[in-house]
Amino acid sequence: MIEYAIRGGRYYWTWIAILLAIVAVGGASYYYQYQNGLTVTGMSKEVSWGLYIANFTFLVGVAASAVIVVLPAYLYDYKKFKNLTSIGEFLGASAVIMCILFILVDLGRPDRVMNVVLNPRPNSVMLYDFIVLSGYFLLNIVIAWSVLAAKEKNKGYATWLKILIYIAIPWAISIHTVTAFLYGGLVGRPFWNTALMAPRFLAGAFASGPSLLIVAGLVIRKFTKFDPGMDALKKIAEIAAFAMVANLFMIGVELFTTYYSGHPHHLEHFNYLFFGLQEDGHVYNKLVPWIWTSLALGVISVLMLIYPKTRTTPKYLAAACVMIFASVWIDKGMGLIIPGYIPSQWGIVREYWPSLVESLIALGIWALGMLVFTLLAKVAIGVTLETSPPEEEVEEEEEVEEEVEVVEEVVEEKEYKCELCDAVFRNLDECCEHAEKEHKISKASCDMACAEVEE
């Protein structure tokens, strides 16, 4: 199947070349960081997590969101999502690759990452995060590839594959939940120490991930012969809208709890994020415009997805999805990680802003993730187009199915007899009407008079 990834036209190879060039720039920037250490980043002793961990946190959610199309398609046999399942799983796998890379570049000594496995500590949430992320990556790759292979050979799913699919569904929920516990369990960081962290993570994930999938679906629909189905994209848009509403609601709950209670340790972090802090005549407010932009984009995108005309028009749908994606990226990325450190546990206010090197590395990782997704999606599209029957045949099959259903309905219809006068009727409704009219028996009690005719 891999041969589908190396077939493409001018636009396809131009896109691949652009991504490779960005990956090369990111790789060169990482080499510079590796040689000079993390001092070339914007991070400091006070703010030890920055752009890398912010992207990691956001992308875990994107990875988890594949369950939005996988669950209805496999568990409830929702056929409209069938064409999108493999693409959604490959999107999840690509996001996990980016997650792992963002963790690696955040380490001053990436060679020590295996210490998590070689010296495991059962009380460390980091160990479980490592397990669920690597496991989810393998599950997505194996499932999506095996489903495509079965489709290519026109075979059903093997039993072991069905078991893996069922395992992957709760696993997707677990990866973002465990990551949320990583923050929520830190008592020394009041900004993160909230029971709403995991639900907020999941709501943001089920809004941003599907939005990215919709944008990918619209791009694929425009530039290839593959049509993921506008009905499927609209349904996913509804899911994203509901998830975004839940996400905004929980942000509101956090704000009410913090400002109404006035707890000083929580309040100062929220003050920094939403209004900025002033100390010694200097105002620290670099994140203020970002977080208000995030909220504005979130509200506007929800309104666009609720209004039917904008939700069903591809260009407006794409714009709304991009806004959701940007809103959650700010909220669950920089808007979540950085304020946890400002002010520090010792009351020191030192702002963080990513350096050029840091930004280029992050850009390179995003480009690599998009490159992996492009190649895998190309395989999925190639196999689907190769194995899908022509549209005329599909329409004929649907007509035959409808006829079969009508025949079944006719066959299921049985005759009923009025036991008071032995009159026979074609169905129960007619018998009940007769009982009410001739024998003054209400329709609700017509079973006293009407009995099924035995053959």
Side-chain angles (χ1 to χ4, degrees):
M1 293 189 292
I2 196 69
E3 65 271 14
Y4 291 109
I6 54 175
R7 297 178 192 166
R10 185 180 56 178
Y11 290 122
Y12 176 70
W13 289 113
T14 303
W15 173 243
I16 296 293
I18 291 171
L19 291 176
L20 284 173
I22 299 173
V23 170
V25 172
S29 301
Y30 177 67
Y31 179 76
Y32 178 74
Q33 176 187 295
Y34 187 76
Q35 294 294 322
N36 296 278
L38 291 173
T39 54
V40 299
T41 69
M43 291 182 281
S44 61
K45 186 174 65 177
E46 286 76 20
V47 183
S48 54
W49 282 352
L51 185 64
Y52 299 148
I53 299 300
N55 277 292
F56 159 76
T57 308
F58 170 74
L59 285 166
V60 171
V62 175
S65 65
V67 76
I68 287 292
V69 291
V70 169
L71 192 148
Y74 292 135
L75 208 58
Y76 300 110
D77 196 27
Y78 191 66
K79 291 184 172 54
K80 287 182 179 177
F81 285 179
K82 289 284 184 181
N83 282 344
L84 277 170
T85 50
S86 296
I87 292 176
E89 286 164 336
F90 284 147
L91 179 64
S94 305
V96 173
I97 290 174
M98 288 189 274
C99 289
I100 295 170
L101 289 175
F102 273 116
I103 290 291
L104 288 177
V105 298
D106 187 65
L107 298 173
R109 291 284 304 273
D111 54 301
R112 292 181 177 176
V113 70
M114 290 309 293
N115 282 339
V116 177
V117 181
L118 299 175
N119 304 291
R121 295 180 61 190
N123 61 345
S124 169
V125 183
M126 193 73 78
L127 171 66
Y128 299 106
D129 208 30
F130 178 86
I131 292 171
V132 293
L133 274 177
S134 51
Y136 188 66
F137 169 72
L138 291 175
L139 280 172
N140 270 303
I141 288 292
V142 170
I143 290 172
W145 202 265
S146 302
V147 165
L148 288 176
K151 189 183 287 185
E152 189 181 38
K153 295 172 184 173
N154 200 22
K155 291 182 177 179
Y157 301 156
T159 304
W160 63 268
L161 180 57
K162 292 179 181 175
I163 294 172
L164 284 185
I165 289 170
Y166 293 137
I167 291 174
I169 292 170
W171 201 293
I173 305 294
S174 74
I175 64 170
H176 217 21
T177 305
V178 174
T179 306
F181 288 165
L182 200 67
Y183 300 105
L186 295 176
V187 181
R189 301 288 175 190
F191 186 68
W192 301 332
N193 190 216
T194 167
L196 275 181
M197 189 61 78
R200 273 189 65 192
F201 269 34
L202 289 173
F206 293 154
S208 59
S211 297
L212 182 58
L213 186 59
I214 291 170
V215 174
L218 290 172
V219 171
I220 290 169
R221 193 166 176 260
K222 184 174 178 60
F223 290 100
T224 72
K225 295 177 181 176
F226 175 74
D227 186 2
M230 203 56 206
D231 287 342
L233 298 179
K234 290 176 193 171
K235 186 60 69 179
I236 297 173
E238 290 174 8
I239 296 171
F242 293 138
M244 195 62 192
V245 169
N247 184 45
L248 291 172
F249 171 73
M250 281 186 272
I251 291 173
V253 171
E254 287 272 25
L255 291 174
F256 172 80
T257 307
T258 302
Y259 282 96
Y260 189 77
S261 66
H263 193 292
H265 292 299
H266 286 269
L267 200 59
E268 53 194 6
H269 297 285
F270 280 91
N271 277 339
Y272 167 70
L273 180 61
F274 284 94
F275 306 106
L277 292 176
Q278 188 168 2
E279 190 174 280
D280 299 330
H282 184 76
V283 178
Y284 300 91
N285 60 358
K286 286 183 178 175
L287 289 182
V288 173
W290 287 84
I291 197 64
W292 286 109
T293 302
S294 168
L295 288 177
L297 290 176
V299 172
I300 294 169
S301 59
V302 165
L303 293 176
M304 288 180 71
L305 290 183
I306 289 175
Y307 187 54
K309 188 176 180 180
T310 48
R311 187 178 67 242
T312 54
T313 307
K315 62 180 180 182
Y316 296 129
L317 175 62
C321 290
V322 169
M323 281 193 265
I324 284 186
F325 189 80
S327 171
V328 180
W329 181 79
I330 296 170
D331 173 42
K332 295 294 178 301
M334 298 286 278
L336 177 76
I337 302 302
I338 312 306
Y341 288 99
I342 302 174
S344 73
Q345 292 163 307
W346 300 274
I348 300 171
V349 178
R350 178 164 295 178
E351 283 199 293
Y352 161 83
W353 197 251
S355 67
L356 178 62
V357 174
E358 212 174 345
S359 302
L360 290 175
I361 292 173
L363 202 60
I365 293 175
W366 271 97
L368 184 61
M370 292 171 76
L371 178 63
V372 172
F373 173 65
T374 302
L375 297 175
L376 292 175
K378 190 74 168 54
V379 172
I381 293 168
V383 172
T384 306
L385 288 177
E386 196 77 22
T387 56
S388 295
E391 289 184 4
E392 291 180 1
E393 290 182 18
V394 174
E395 289 175 1
E396 285 176 5
E397 286 177 6
E398 288 176 351
E399 287 174 3
V400 170
E401 285 178 2
E402 287 175 3
E403 287 175 5
V404 169
E405 287 175 4
V406 171
V407 170
E408 285 175 351
E409 284 176 6
V410 171
V411 170
E412 286 174 1
E413 219 169 56
K414 293 181 179 177
E415 292 184 333
Y416 281 78
K417 183 177 75 175
C418 175
E419 293 186 328
L420 299 176
C421 62
D422 291 334
V424 178
F425 302 93
R426 289 180 298 176
N427 53 51
L428 181 60
D429 290 339
E430 288 185 4
C431 186
C432 289
E433 286 177 5
H434 163 78
E436 186 179 33
K437 185 176 180 182
E438 300 296 333
H439 306 297
K440 310 302 180 190
I441 297 174
S442 68
K443 287 186 179 179
S445 306
C446 70
D447 57 338
M448 294 170 59
C450 297
E452 190 178 313
V453 177
E454 295 182 2
E455 295 179 358

